Amino acid sequence: MAMEMRLPVARKPLSESLGRETKKHLVVPGDTITTDTGFMRGHGTYMGEEKLIASVAGSVERVNKLVCVKALKTRYNGEVGDIVVGRITEVQQKRWKVETNSRLDSVLLLSSMNLPGGELRRRSAEDELAMRGFLQEGDLISAEVQAVFSDGAVSLHTRSLKYGKLGQGVLVRVSPSLVKRQKTHFHDLPCGASVILGNNGFVWIYPTPEHKEEDAGGFIANLEPVSLADREVISRLRNCIVSLATQRMMLYDTSILYCYEASLPHQIKDILKPEIMEEIVMETRQRLLEQEG
Amino acid sequence: MKETPLSNCERRFLLRAIEEKKRLDGRQTYDYRNIKISFGTDYGCCTVELGKTRVLGQVSCELVSPKLNRATEGILFFNLELSQMAAPAFEPGRQSDLLVKLNRLLERCLRNSKCIDTESLCVVAGEKVWQIRVDLHLLNHDGNIIDAASIAAIVALCHFRRPDVSVQGDEVTLYTLEERDPVPLSIHHMPICVSFAFFQQGTYLLVDPNEREERVMDGLLVIAMNKHREICTIQSSGGIMLLKDQVLRCSKIAGVKVAEITELIQKALANDQKVRKEGGKFGFAESIANQRITAFRMEKAPIDTSDVEEKAEEIISEAEPPSEVVSKPVLWTPGTAQIGEGIENSWGDLEDSEKEDEDEGGSDEAIILDSIKMDTGEVSNIGSQDAPIVLSDSEEEEMIILEPDKNPKKIRTQTISATQVKAPSKKPVKKRKKKRAAN
C-alpha cells in the first residue's frame, strides 16, 4: 500500500491571493456597527447606549435602512419555505422529531406527511400505529419548513412528491451560512448525479433516478446497487463540496459544477489535499468571477 | 446541546467491524488503551488519561465530628462530576441518569469494598474524625468513564498525605505541613473497575469501549477487582442476558487487566515519590509534554565529530586523483559554442519544463547530495535506460521502481509531493536529454 507523507507547512489564507473589491465589514459580539440612529435593527443586533451593537460574530449586511449581522458559524435558524434535509431522532405520538442542525429538534407532524399513494384523508389511529413503518429513527428525509414556533423550533412538512424519505446517497454537513438561497434547491447536475442543498447545511448527493417515480411519493427506498461510475461521480462531488466548504465559498449549483470540472484532472482522493484544494477552489472562484462580470 | 445522532451507516459499519473482530482504533478485543497517570504538585492530585478520556482527581481532608452510629470511623465522600467540556451533550441540568449511575458505581467500588481503613481515620472517638473527600472531574469523554474514574480515585487516594495528628490525653495537636511530614492513608487494596461492552445480544464483547463503541453497544458489564483477584463490585446494565460462563470469562480477563493496571499505578507512584525525594521538578506543568509543529524544519541530530579528521584523511588517501577535465567547446551553430557543463537550452519543450518547475521545490535540497554521485560517470547507465514508462490513466497508486544501487526512478504522475524520493529523478532526465543532443 503506497503511503503519502508530507511535511507540515504554514498555510497562507486564500483570500490574500484573490483580492476582494469590497471588504466585508466583520464584527464580533459587542462591536459597534454604527452610531447613526436612523437604521432599523435586524437580526444579530441590539440597541445599546444610543448605538447599534452586534450580538453575533459575522458580517454586516445593509439593505436600505435595515442593518443586520449575518453570523458566519451558526446553527440553522428556520425560515418558512426553506428546504431542509434532516434525520429522524424520535418517533412520538402523531409526530416525528427531526434533527436539522438547529438549536431545537424540528417537528414533523403526522398530518404534514403524505400518505403512500397520495391519498387525502384524516389520519386515523392505525396510521399512528404504522408511523414506524414510514419513518424510523436514523432515516434521512427532505422536507420544507411549514412554520416556526415562538421558541425557534421548526415545523416541517413533506406535502409534495419531491420530498420524503431519502434513499442511497452521501450526506455532507457544512455550515448553514454557506448554502446560498435560491429558487430551487434540488439540482440534477449534468455530471451524472443529483444534489439537494438543504438550507440547514445538510447537502445530500444521490444518483439521478432514471425515471421519476410519481406514485411512490418518496416512500420506497431504492436499494439497488449503484454503479461504479455513479459512485465515482458522487465521491468526487462530495470531495468538491467539502473543499468549497473548507475555503468558505458559497454553495450553489454553479459553484459546485465549476468545482467539479476543475477537479477532473486530479484523482478523487487527491482533492482533499491542501495544495490541490486551494488550486481547485481558486480556479472555481475565477470562473465564477468571469461569469458574473 | 443534544448530541448528534449516529447515522445508520456508521452504526452498521461499527457492528460489522466488531463481528469481524476489528476495532476502529486497531486494538484487539481485550486491549486497553494507553493509560497515562500524572501527578500535580499537591499531594492527592492526579490526572488519568485512558486514551483520550481524561479524569482529574483531587483528595482533600477535614476534621469533622463522626456519624452518630459510627463513632470510631472516618467519613469517605466521593463525588464525580461530568464537566461541560467533556462532551457537548453534558449540560448542567441534563446529565442526571448517567451521573447517578456512575456515582453509585464508584461508591460501591470504593466504599463498600473497604479499601481504605476508616478506623485509622479516627482521631478522638465520637468527637473528631477525618473526612476524606474525593472529587473527580471528567475533562474529556471518549468512552469508558468508569474505568478512568476508578483509576483516578484510587491513585489520588494512594498519593494523598493527610496532616499528622497526635493525641495526648485530652489534647489533640494537629501538626502543619512544615512541622511534621504528612502521613499517607492506610489503604488495604486497590479496587479497579474493568468494563466489558456487549454487542448483538451478548455474542461479541469488547474491553474498554471507546465513545463510538459505547453508542452502539447493547449492554455493559463492569467488574471491580483488586490484584488479589477479589471481586469488589459487579454490575450489569443494558438488560442483556449474560450466560454464567461469559461472566466467569470476563472475571478472568478482568483479573489479568487489573494486575497490569495495578503494576502501572505502582510504578507511577514510585516514580513520583522518587522525583519528589530527589528534589526534581514535579507537577502537571512538567508532565504535560510541549507539543509543537514546526514547518519545514529538520531537527538537529547530534553527530559525533571526534574522528572526522582521520576519516577525511583516509578518504583522501584512498581516493583516486580527480580526472583531468579538458574543456571541449561544443559547436552548436556557426558562431555559437558551449564550453563546460551548463543547463541545456530548453526553449523548445515548454510542457515538460513547466512540470519540472512544479516539482523543483522539493528537489533543491537533494540536488546538492546527488550532484556528487552524478559526476562520477553514472551517466552511461542512465543513457542506456529506455524511454519513460507510459502513464496509466487509472486511479491506482503511483509506482516507484527502486533499483538497489541506482537512483530511484519515479514515474511522473500528476501529483505534487515534496518527498525526497522524487528529487533524484530530476537529474537523470536532464542529463539524458543533454547527452542525446551532444551526440
Side-chain angles (χ1 to χ4, degrees), chain A residues 2 4-5 7-10 75 87 89-90 99 105 137-139 173 232 236 265 267-270 273 275 279, chain B residues 1-9 293-298 358 394-398 414-419:
Chain A
E4 168 93 20
M5 289 200 283
L7 299 171
V9 173
R75 290 232 160 201
R87 192 184 291 278
T89 48
E90 283 175 46
E99 191 247 337
D105 273 347
E137 285 95 339
D139 285 344
R173 295 166 51 137
E232 287 192 354
R236 192 177 280 274
Q267 287 191 8
I268 299 178
K269 59 186 175 192
D270 292 338
K273 293 190 190 153
E275 307 94 27
E279 193 188 306
Chain B
M1 285 198 293
K2 206 158 181 209
E3 56 182 26
T4 42
L6 210 57
S7 59
N8 288 347
C9 287
I293 298 179
T294 55
F296 252 131
R297 218 197 304 167
M298 304 283 262
E358 286 175 333
S394 76
E395 319 250 77
E396 284 168 6
E397 290 108 6
E398 310 159 349
Q414 297 282 0
T415 56
I416 304 164
S417 61
T419 53

Side-chain angles (χ1 to χ4, degrees), chain B residues 34 43 77 126 129 162 187 199 270 274 313 321 330 369 394 408 437:
Chain B
N34 269 334
Y43 279 116
F77 183 69
V129 295
R162 64 167 171 81
I187 296 178
F199 304 87
K274 195 172 72 158
E313 282 174 27
V330 179
L369 293 166
S394 76

